[in-house]
Every structure is written in C-alpha cells, then in structure tokens.
Amino acid sequence: MSAPNTPVASPTDDTAQTDNKATRREWIGLLVLTLPCLLIAMDMTVLHLAVPALTASLNPTSDQLLWIVDIYGFFIAGSLITMGTLGDRIGRRKLLMIGGGCFGAASVLAAFSDTPEMLIFARGVLGIAGATLMPSTLSLIRSMFHNDKERSFAIAAWMTTFMVGTAAGPLLGGLVLSYFWWGAVFLLNVPVMGLLLIVAPILLPEHKAKSFGRLDLFSAALSLGSVLAIIYGVKVIAAYGFGSDALSALVFGLLGAWVFIRRQRKLADPLLDLDLLKQKTIALPIVIQTAVIFAGMAYFLFLSQALQLVIGLTPIQAGLSMLPATVAGIVGSMGAPVLMGRFKPGQVMTGALILTAAGFGMLSWPGSVVSLYVLVAGATIFSLGITPVAMISTDMVVASAPSDRAGSAAAMSETSAELGGALGIAILGSVGTAIYRDVMIEAVPTGIGNEAADAIRSTLGGAVNALHDLPAAISSDILPLARAAFTDGLQVISIICTILMVLSAIGTLFALRDVHCDTNNDDGTDGVNGDTPYDPAIKQAACATGNVE
C-alpha cells in the first residue's frame, strides 16, 4: 500500500522515455542543423570587418552603408513569424532546404556585388532566407528529440551554436580579408549550405501539420511591415534620438501590429495562433526571455565601447577581453539541461536571474566601469546567468506547443528575442545618451567649430574622433569629462538592468513554481512532450509532492 501523497508511478513512464531516446541518426542530424545556425550568427558580425574594404570598393553613401549593415537583421526579424508558420504548413525540412538554397545563392550575389544597391538587395534576401532557417531548425529539433532531457540538451547545443558563430564571425572574417577581397567573406556560406542540401534529405525527418488552410498573404505582409517598422524606429532612436522618422515608423509599426492581431483573431486559419499565448508555459517564458535579451544586448553594445573608448583597448584586445563572457555563456547554456534534471525549470531560471542580477550589480558600483577586471568579471557573471534563462525559455516554448504549431511557437520565441534586443539598445541607449549629453552640453568650450562641438556633445565615440583633430590642451581637458559622462550613463544602465533582473527573478519564482503542473496541451498531450499521452491523475499526484520530472 502506497503512502499518502506519494505519486503513483506509471509502469510505462520509464519505458516510454527509454524508447523515445534519439538514435545516432538524430544526433548526426543535430550537427547538420547547427550548420545554418552557425552561418546565420556569423553573417551578423562577419561584415563589420569588411566595411572599410567594401566602402573603398563600392563607395556607398552613409545611408546606403547603414542599410548594407542593418537590412540583414531587419529582414530576419520581420520574416520569422511568416516563415515559422510556413514551415508548419509545407514541411520544416522542405522550408529548411529552400532557405538553405536561397541563402547560398544570395551569398554568391553579395560576394560579387558591384554596386551598393546590389549588395543591399543581396543582404535583404540573405535576411529572408535566414528567417526560414531559424524556426525550421528549432522546430525540427522538437520533431527529432522526444526525450525531455535529450531535447533540452539539443536546444542548448542549438543556442550555443549562435554564440560560437557570433564570436567566430570577426575572427574568420579577419582571416579571409587577410588574403582575399571583401566579398569572399560571403563565400564562406556556400560550401556549408551545399552540404546541408546534400545531407538534409538523408538525416532529417520531414514534419508538417496534418491540416492547414491557405497562407494569408495579407497577414504575412502585415507581420513583416509591422516588425520592420518597429525595429527600424527603435534603431533610429538609438542612433539619433527621437525624431519624426523614428516616431512615424513606430506609429506605423504599432498600428500594423494592432491590425495584425485583430485579423488573426477573426481568421479561421490564422497565420499566427494567438491562442498559444494563453498557455503559461509559452507566454511567461517569452516575457522572461525578452527581459534578459533586453538587458544583455544593450549592455554588450556599451561594454564594447567602454573597453575601447574608456579603458583604451584595441578592437582585437577588446574582443579577446570578452572571450571569458562568451565561454561563460556557453557553459551556462550547456549546463542548464543538467540543472533541469535536478530542479524544476522555474527554480533554475530564478537562480540564473539572481546570478545575472549579481553580475549587473557588480557593474553598478561607482568606479567599476573604469576597471578592466571588474568589467570582464561582471560581464562573465551575467553571461553565465542569461544563457540558461534563454535556453530554458526556448525549450519550454517549443515543447509546450502542439507539434503541428512548433514552427509558429519557435518564431514567436525568436521574434521576441529580436524585439527585446532592439528595444534594449534603443531604450537603454537613450538613457545612456541622455546622461552623457546632459553632462557634456556645457563642457565644450567656445572657439571649437560647430561640427566638432556637436560630435563631442553627441557620443563618446564622436568626442574621441573630434578631439583627435583638436589641440592637445583642449583634448586633455574634455576627454576625461566625456569618459566620465559615459561611465555615469553606463552605471545607471547597470542599475536599471539589476533592478529588472531582480524583478524578473521574483516574478519567475512565483509564476513558474508549478510550471510542470500546467504543461498539458488542449489536445490531451503532455505540454513538455507533445507526443506522450497526458495522464491528469499521475501529473496531479506528482505535483502534490513536487516530484515532477
């Protein structure tokens, strides 16, 4: 006779988990899925080192150069929702292969572009193709790995690939540029995508929804236009402050998003199933992930400036100084599945958020920003905390969605991350810039040209460039003030990030304390493993004692 409140074990539970374990084919398939992820991340950063060479070759205007750099990320963010849902409809492997072929072809077009307009077009196509690859890879992981622990590990490896690609982009780009012309950085994509097209039909399963209506093209256009406008608006605010262009873009984007949401609620077969957001294990992880990306992306942008413009490191030295944070991020991501085997996801996320808050808190003390060791230590600590939160959030979203909607759920998660990063850079960037300008508005002496004075008052980078051409006596007086103003702004940003992470930890502790008890889908399947029958009696008994696997 079993003791009271002791969960009743199902004789098939352990057998089902064992039978659902992945074979060698799935693990090799995971390696295949990491290839496009690696390239997507690399293409975010590989172009930065090539900018001087392509500028000399194509002679773009300043606006054209901004579009060359930014349009790739814009179109990835704007196309994710459409492509995630499209993969559910036509088949995730099919969409992955179509996107891989387009990515390779666009890479060749970009490599041999001879005008700025041609390169902008090629980068835009690369962004749309990249948007087909991201949700396809993540939803295929859901289809391939049915064992909870193995799926969590696979998603951690998937996320780690993006971090490796981001770090490897500048290194590989620099190596290629040492021997070849600027366009060769794009040709790195071609053999990898060729390999993907060859092995994907052999190693990856096909999966698509059993029944779906026609793709609503108007909804697709609305989602693309709305996300593009919002991200463009916040990026303009981050770069130039509030203006008519930024506000117009934001109003257009928010209005488009409102129309999109209303349309989805009326359609019998919507492009984006908003009912997914009624599930706590989808909506709450998306909110939490948005918060950590909001803080992390913005801070890393300012951190790179602090290392170079305040500490005085070269770009290579600054990159090497950030390696501990990159390694910590990888450790955090890959270590999260191990912790999830011992604790509930909500507990792991709460602990990781507290660790993240501690890292930002270290950076919020007066004088910490001018110390290389404190900067590196703080960044390493909050990186170690952020990545488990992002990994577990992604895992919960994808696992909690019905299998036919996994692509749509993956697109939601990735779009929220893109928007979180853009909003963090814009909002926190505006805070830092406002503090800097408030200090520097009266610091510029008379007798300096208007153009140089405006540059000094705008940003620390502008001040460093402008003071380079001014007499040393003036530079020695103004530059310390500019650096102090920048560090004041960064300290305030650190405090804001600390408070945000503490609040997120408190919210996570209460909102997700019984997350496993609420992970059942409407179709009668377990939300953590959508292919396993959901048994309410067993789940409730397990939840009663907290012994939830």
Side-chain angles (χ1 to χ4, degrees):
M1 184 174 180
S2 60
N5 294 331
T6 299
V8 181
S10 169
T12 61
D13 283 350
D14 293 337
T15 304
Q17 283 294 317
T18 302
D19 292 342
N20 284 335
K21 284 196 172 182
T23 64
R24 181 181 299 177
R25 178 178 178 179
E26 279 77 30
W27 291 113
I28 298 175
L30 177 62
L31 291 177
V32 174
L33 291 177
T34 61
L35 296 177
C37 300
L38 187 69
L39 294 182
I40 292 169
M42 282 176 52
D43 267 43
M44 289 286 190
T45 56
V46 73
L47 188 63
H48 293 170
L49 290 178
V51 165
L54 75 86
T55 300
S57 175
L58 302 182
N59 194 29
T61 65
S62 58
D63 288 340
Q64 287 174 332
L65 184 60
L66 286 175
W67 280 110
I68 289 170
V69 173
D70 289 337
I71 196 170
Y72 176 73
F74 283 176
F75 272 87
I76 281 184
S79 306
L80 280 170
I81 291 175
T82 299
M83 296 306 174
T85 305
L86 184 62
D88 289 337
R89 293 170 186 255
I90 70 171
R92 294 158 189 168
R93 186 182 68 188
K94 179 185 291 185
L95 184 64
L96 179 68
M97 294 181 66
I98 293 172
C102 292
F103 201 91
S107 298
V108 175
L109 183 64
F112 295 100
S113 295
D114 55 7
T115 65
E117 293 81 5
M118 184 176 177
L119 183 55
I120 291 171
F121 174 79
R123 290 276 288 171
V125 176
L126 278 170
I128 295 174
T132 70
L133 301 174
M134 292 173 69
S136 295
T137 54
L138 189 53
S139 54
L140 277 170
I141 287 175
R142 161 71 187 271
S143 302
M144 293 162 59
F145 295 91
H146 302 289
N147 180 278
D148 295 346
K149 293 180 180 179
E150 291 182 343
R151 186 197 60 249
S152 296
F153 177 84
I155 290 178
W158 176 85
M159 185 168 292
T160 297
T161 304
F162 283 99
M163 290 185 284
V164 172
T166 301
L171 298 177
L172 286 177
L175 183 63
V176 169
L177 290 170
S178 299
Y179 298 96
F180 303 100
W181 87 110
W182 63 266
V185 298
F186 294 107
L187 296 181
L188 294 170
N189 302 330
V190 177
V192 178
M193 287 304 173
L195 178 63
L196 174 68
L197 295 178
I198 293 171
V199 301
I202 302 171
L203 295 171
L204 301 179
E206 182 57 286
H207 190 285
K208 63 180 178 180
K210 297 177 181 178
S211 61
F212 256 123
R214 290 191 310 166
L215 183 70
D216 184 39
L217 295 180
F218 183 63
S219 293
L222 271 176
S223 69
L224 174 63
S226 300
V227 176
L228 280 177
I230 291 171
I231 290 183
Y232 173 76
V234 296
K235 280 185 173 286
V236 171
I237 291 172
Y240 305 108
F242 286 93
S244 58
D245 289 348
L247 292 177
S248 298
L250 286 177
V251 170
F252 177 82
L254 293 173
L255 180 62
W258 178 76
V259 174
F260 175 81
I261 292 172
R262 286 183 58 87
R263 184 174 179 83
Q264 302 317 294
R265 296 192 182 283
K266 294 179 180 179
L267 291 174
D269 190 30
L271 177 71
L272 186 64
D273 187 359
L274 297 177
D275 286 340
L276 291 174
L277 295 176
K278 295 178 181 179
Q279 291 183 236
K280 184 168 72 172
T281 48
I282 291 179
L284 288 176
I286 285 177
V287 172
I288 296 166
Q289 177 179 255
T290 303
V292 295
I293 300 298
F294 175 94
M297 286 289 289
Y299 204 91
F300 270 118
L301 175 64
F302 283 96
L303 188 60
S304 63
Q305 296 181 54
L307 290 172
Q308 296 178 67
L309 302 177
V310 178
I311 305 297
L313 302 182
T314 65
I316 294 177
Q317 290 172 332
L320 292 174
S321 297
M322 293 310 300
L323 280 179
T326 302
V327 173
I330 294 172
V331 170
S333 179
M334 298 305 296
V338 178
L339 294 173
M340 288 173 65
R342 296 173 177 266
F343 306 98
K344 294 180 183 180
Q347 294 172 330
V348 179
M349 291 175 71
T350 300
L353 286 166
I354 292 173
L355 184 64
T356 305
F360 284 123
M362 178 184 293
L363 296 167
S364 66
W365 288 99
S368 61
V369 180
V370 298
S371 169
L372 173 61
Y373 300 106
V374 175
L375 280 175
V376 172
T380 301
I381 292 172
F382 77 66
S383 295
L384 187 62
I386 283 177
T387 49
V389 176
M391 179 266 142
I392 297 173
S393 297
T394 302
D395 185 28
M396 290 175 64
V397 169
V398 174
S400 298
S403 58
D404 284 353
R405 301 282 183 174
S408 182
M412 282 185 183
S413 176
E414 290 159 4
T415 301
S416 72
E418 295 285 343
L419 288 174
L423 289 172
I425 291 172
I427 295 174
L428 296 180
S430 297
V431 170
T433 301
I435 293 172
Y436 176 87
R437 290 174 177 170
D438 184 62
V439 173
M440 296 304 295
I441 194 71
E442 301 294 338
V444 180
T446 58
I448 296 178
N450 291 334
E451 184 176 348
D454 289 341
I456 293 171
R457 294 188 183 107
S458 297
T459 63
L460 178 58
V464 171
N465 290 331
L467 292 171
H468 182 73
D469 299 324
L470 294 176
I474 296 177
S475 177
S476 61
D477 290 336
I478 298 178
L479 188 55
L481 291 175
R483 286 174 171 165
F486 178 86
T487 57
D488 288 345
L490 191 53
Q491 184 181 344
V492 172
I493 291 173
S494 301
I495 294 172
I496 294 172
C497 291
T498 303
I499 295 172
L500 179 61
M501 293 301 100
V502 170
L503 294 176
S504 298
I506 295 171
T508 302
L509 178 64
F510 290 100
L512 296 180
R513 63 183 181 275
D514 293 324
V515 62
H516 283 296
C517 302
D518 296 321
T519 54
N520 57 303
N521 291 326
D522 295 335
D523 58 1
T525 61
D526 186 297
V528 174
N529 185 352
D531 303 305
T532 303
Y534 175 74
D535 188 332
I538 295 174
K539 185 68 73 173
Q540 288 174 7
C543 290
T545 60
N547 184 22
V548 185
E549 296 296 336

